[in-house]
Amino acid sequence: MAGDLVLAIDLGGTKVLSCLVDGEGLVVASGKEKLDDARGPKRVLDKIKACAFEALDESGLRLDSVRGVGIAVPGAVDHREGIVIEAPNLGWRNFDVKRQVERAFGRPVVVENDVNAGLLGEAIYGVCRGCRQDVLAAFFVGTGVGGAIMVNGGLVRGTSGSAGEFGHMKIDKGGPECGCGRKGCLEALASRSAVERLVGKKSKTALKGGKRLTSKVLAAALRENDREVKQALEQAAKFLGIGVANVLNLLNPRMIVLGGGLMSALGWFLLPRIRKSARRHSFGVAFDDCEIELSGLGDYAVPLGVSALAAGKAK
Amino acid sequence: MAGDLVLAIDLGGTKVLSCLVDGEGLVVASGKEKLDDARGPKRVLDKIKACAFEALDESGLRLDSVRGVGIAVPGAVDHREGIVIEAPNLGWRNFDVKRQVERAFGRPVVVENDVNAGLLGEAIYGVCRGCRQDVLAAFFVGTGVGGAIMVNGGLVRGTSGSAGEFGHMKIDKGGPECGCGRKGCLEALASRSAVERLVGKKSKTALKGGKRLTSKVLAAALRENDREVKQALEQAAKFLGIGVANVLNLLNPRMIVLGGGLMSALGWFLLPRIRKSARRHSFGVAFDDCEIELSGLGDYAVPLGVSALAAGKAK
């Protein structure tokens, strides 16, 4: 069984996670490192190493029992070459992470965009397990809105590895400005940051003590019946539903998975509202023939997805 | 060579075309029948037969030299079963056209949506010939706006055969009402019908003699520098560019093909404007890495596409 072990590294905006995953998709050991403000290739590479050895130490195994390493990156990735084209949160640009980690670990390395990895995880081990060969799509909603698409069991990465930019689909021509400089993108209307902007300084509960509006803070405020937070989340759900409807109209998928920080903290509130809006804005039978579900694996979707790539279970 | 002959039937809104296509994708004979106002299964079936025998008579060949028959339908198709789920222009609903034509002709029959067939034609014989295995998309702009997607050399049909409904992607939340009952769909903003509505009764040139604003009438009016027609087409091009940008952001395709009546009559005017708008509204490198081109096969894209399916050259 040790021959089937792979090491999955999930690079987030604020932390690095490592998981040792066995052939059945079980996490046998894990590690975690915070990313401090100093980023850049070398710093992050050191964190990857530290995090990997935490998991190995916990398991009592050595690096040479690991068949391969998968790295999930929040940014644009050239999957074939293993190069990170751009990952602003990590301070990486055209960084050959595959070669660097292969040199450090002496094991083969695959690199994938994190949302792609998340959908793959759900397709193999999670909520889409039964329909892996169908058309599948995922929305990961957090600070931004990411997306991913699978067809016939494989990820659709596109010509330059940037397929699935659901967050920059334009759904409201006259809408608010997005971080990308354009107007009316889904991300500007329905991400956690968009909710933060909508709530503004109006909400007393949410801003008590000058807290940032993380997904957890928003969930707590909603539980305390904060009116501004509730309205902002309702509006975000409507727009997410329009984004989901567009994906239904374009791809007619069997399943759409909703994941990411905002969905994991507030899915119970957002999901029924997203479904209602998606039904209203979609065409023909596409809504009826699609299951719209929350992520089944939560924080494990991304590491399990890259682990499957590292184990050669998916392409 | 006769063993490689297939019969392609292209069912349009107003006419039926038949093409006898050889193994190299050359049309060796063809036929054409007008569809009068009386539609429905039996009437259209008679037209298909008449049209097919025109092509056979022209070629001097008999039906048994034909390997298979491909039928392209303007509507939702269950490709696996060969059933037309809905084709409003033909008066068909849940119509088993595959079985009917197989009974009439005694040859195997495949059925495909017309825009899917058009993209397949371009991928195998037309403007996308060199990049058939990449991600490809097509917009066919006429009375409505249809779409199609290919990945790894195969059509993406979706769960219920309705993938590629680009015309019902919402791009302007507060926009005009669409034929589907919703607001702000691309089709309501950028089809030939949308242009007709925009021009309204303002244009004297276009409406001279009470003509309907067909694509040809619009092209003639533009050549006479009709200001209203020009403005309406410029606006349609802007919205088509936003639709193209959304597809760039979602699929990161290698090529987007623009076809259909409006593009074939006015592509020289629309294409540069669509490109400009798509560049402005797309994210990252997706625009730079995609060729946006007019259909290379024009009216032959659809019949050549279904001929390839009938010949088993594509799935």
Side-chain angles (χ1 to χ4, degrees):
Chain A
M1 196 190 80
D4 284 335
L5 270 189
V6 293
L7 180 63
I9 306 285
D10 178 8
L11 294 170
T14 57
K15 59 183 186 294
V16 183
L17 286 171
S18 66
C19 294
L20 270 174
V21 182
D22 74 10
E24 294 179 286
L26 298 174
V27 176
V28 299
S30 61
K32 187 172 179 173
E33 288 282 321
K34 277 200 179 168
L35 276 178
D36 45 35
D37 288 341
R39 305 288 163 95
K42 206 185 156 310
R43 291 266 197 162
V44 180
L45 219 52
D46 286 342
K47 294 288 185 184
I48 291 176
K49 282 184 219 168
C51 195
F53 283 104
E54 279 170 43
L56 286 167
D57 287 350
E58 188 193 321
S59 69
L61 292 165
R62 283 167 34 164
L63 200 47
D64 50 18
S65 8
V66 168
R67 181 174 154 181
V69 181
I71 303 180
V73 180
V77 165
D78 179 340
H79 172 76
R80 237 170 307 185
E81 301 292 333
I83 291 170
V84 175
I85 298 161
E86 182 134 35
N89 283 339
L90 303 172
W92 289 2
R93 207 190 165 113
N94 292 320
F95 179 50
D96 189 346
V97 63
K98 176 179 160 73
R99 192 177 307 187
Q100 296 284 341
V101 177
E102 281 180 349
R103 195 175 293 163
F105 287 179
R107 314 303 304 151
V109 169
V110 291
V111 185
E112 187 52 86
N113 165 271
D114 57 354
V115 183
N116 280 355
L119 176 56
L120 197 56
E122 296 291 346
I124 299 180
Y125 300 113
V127 75
C128 326
R129 228 170 29 229
C131 51
R132 186 179 160 185
Q133 295 300 320
D134 288 308
V135 177
L136 305 173
F139 284 74
F140 273 58
V141 189
T143 312
V145 176
I149 301 165
M150 285 179 71
V151 170
N152 296 332
L155 285 164
V156 177
R157 297 187 176 93
T159 303
S160 15
S162 81
E165 284 289 359
F166 295 174
H168 298 287
M169 144 168 71
K170 178 162 304 213
I171 57 176
D172 185 15
K173 201 175 63 74
E177 193 161 316
C178 180
C180 74
R182 280 164 287 266
K183 282 183 175 182
C185 295
L186 178 60
E187 183 162 304
L189 294 158
S191 60
R192 193 194 50 72
S193 330
V195 172
E196 198 166 13
R197 202 197 56 243
L198 278 170
V199 172
K201 285 171 186 163
K202 287 182 288 181
S203 153
K204 282 172 199 159
T205 331
L207 298 169
K208 208 160 51 186
K211 279 188 267 189
R212 285 212 62 201
L213 293 184
T214 62
S215 298
K216 276 181 191 168
V217 173
L218 288 169
L222 183 67
R223 233 169 269 119
E224 292 177 39
N225 206 24
D226 180 314
R227 209 176 48 174
E228 279 74 25
V229 167
K230 195 176 171 198
Q231 279 177 357
L233 288 170
E234 273 171 345
Q235 191 170 326
K238 260 188 214 169
F239 283 114
L240 282 170
I242 295 179
V244 165
N246 278 353
V247 168
L248 288 172
N249 295 342
L250 264 67
L251 297 171
N252 186 202
R254 170 73 68 191
M255 192 175 253
I256 292 182
V257 186
L258 304 173
L262 197 71
M263 298 310 305
S264 119
L266 286 153
W268 61 274
F269 180 81
L270 295 170
L271 182 61
R273 289 164 173 82
I274 292 171
R275 282 195 182 130
K276 192 175 161 193
S277 166
R279 175 195 288 276
R280 194 173 149 212
H281 294 290
S282 58
F283 180 77
V285 293
F287 178 86
D288 294 332
D289 287 348
C290 180
E291 291 175 62
I292 302 168
E293 298 293 348
L294 297 177
S295 159
L297 301 171
D299 291 345
Y300 288 108
V302 175
L304 287 181
V306 271
S307 84
L309 287 171
K313 289 183 183 173
K315 277 184 185 172
Chain B
M1 197 193 77
D4 284 334
L5 269 189
V6 293
L7 180 63
I9 306 284
D10 179 8
L11 294 169
T14 57
K15 59 183 186 292
V16 184
L17 285 171
S18 67
C19 295
L20 271 173
V21 183
D22 74 9
E24 295 179 285
L26 298 174
V27 176
V28 299
S30 61
K32 188 172 179 174
E33 287 283 322
K34 278 201 178 167
L35 276 178
D36 46 33
D37 287 342
R39 305 289 163 94
K42 209 189 154 309
R43 290 268 197 160
V44 180
L45 219 52
D46 287 342
K47 294 287 185 183
I48 291 175
K49 282 185 220 167
C51 196
F53 283 104
E54 279 171 39
L56 286 167
D57 288 349
E58 188 194 321
S59 69
L61 292 165
R62 284 167 33 165
L63 200 46
D64 52 17
S65 8
V66 168
R67 181 175 155 181
V69 180
I71 304 180
V73 180
V77 165
D78 178 340
H79 171 76
R80 238 171 306 186
E81 301 293 332
I83 292 170
V84 174
I85 299 162
E86 181 135 36
N89 283 338
L90 302 172
W92 289 2
R93 207 189 165 113
N94 293 320
F95 178 51
D96 190 346
V97 63
K98 176 179 159 73
R99 192 177 308 186
Q100 295 283 343
V101 177
E102 280 180 349
R103 195 176 294 161
F105 288 179
R107 316 302 304 149
V109 169
V110 291
V111 185
E112 187 54 86
N113 165 270
D114 56 354
V115 184
N116 280 355
L119 176 56
L120 197 56
E122 296 291 348
I124 298 179
Y125 299 112
V127 74
C128 326
R129 227 170 29 230
C131 51
R132 185 179 162 187
Q133 294 300 320
D134 288 308
V135 177
L136 305 173
F139 285 74
F140 274 56
V141 189
T143 312
V145 176
I149 301 166
M150 284 180 72
V151 170
N152 297 332
L155 285 164
V156 177
R157 297 185 176 93
T159 303
S160 15
S162 81
E165 284 289 359
F166 294 174
H168 298 287
M169 144 167 72
K170 178 162 304 216
I171 57 175
D172 185 14
K173 200 174 62 76
E177 194 163 315
C178 180
C180 74
R182 281 165 288 266
K183 282 183 175 182
C185 296
L186 179 60
E187 183 162 304
L189 293 158
S191 59
R192 192 194 52 70
S193 330
V195 171
E196 198 165 14
R197 203 198 55 244
L198 278 170
V199 172
K201 285 172 186 164
K202 287 182 289 182
S203 153
K204 282 170 197 160
T205 331
L207 298 168
K208 209 159 49 187
K211 279 187 265 188
R212 283 213 63 202
L213 292 185
T214 61
S215 298
K216 277 181 190 166
V217 172
L218 288 170
L222 184 67
R223 233 170 268 121
E224 292 176 38
N225 206 24
D226 181 314
R227 211 175 48 171
E228 279 74 26
V229 166
K230 194 176 171 198
Q231 280 177 357
L233 288 170
E234 273 171 346
Q235 191 171 327
K238 258 186 218 173
F239 283 115
L240 282 170
I242 295 179
V244 165
N246 278 354
V247 168
L248 287 172
N249 295 342
L250 264 67
L251 296 172
N252 186 202
R254 170 75 68 192
M255 193 174 252
I256 293 182
V257 186
L258 305 174
L262 197 71
M263 298 310 305
S264 120
L266 285 154
W268 62 274
F269 180 81
L270 295 170
L271 180 61
R273 288 164 174 82
I274 291 171
R275 281 194 183 132
K276 193 175 160 193
S277 165
R279 174 195 289 275
R280 194 172 150 216
H281 294 291
S282 58
F283 180 77
V285 293
F287 178 86
D288 295 331
D289 288 347
C290 181
E291 290 175 64
I292 303 168
E293 300 291 347
L294 297 177
S295 159
L297 301 170
D299 290 346
Y300 288 107
V302 175
L304 287 182
V306 270
S307 84
L309 287 171
K313 289 184 182 173
K315 277 184 186 174

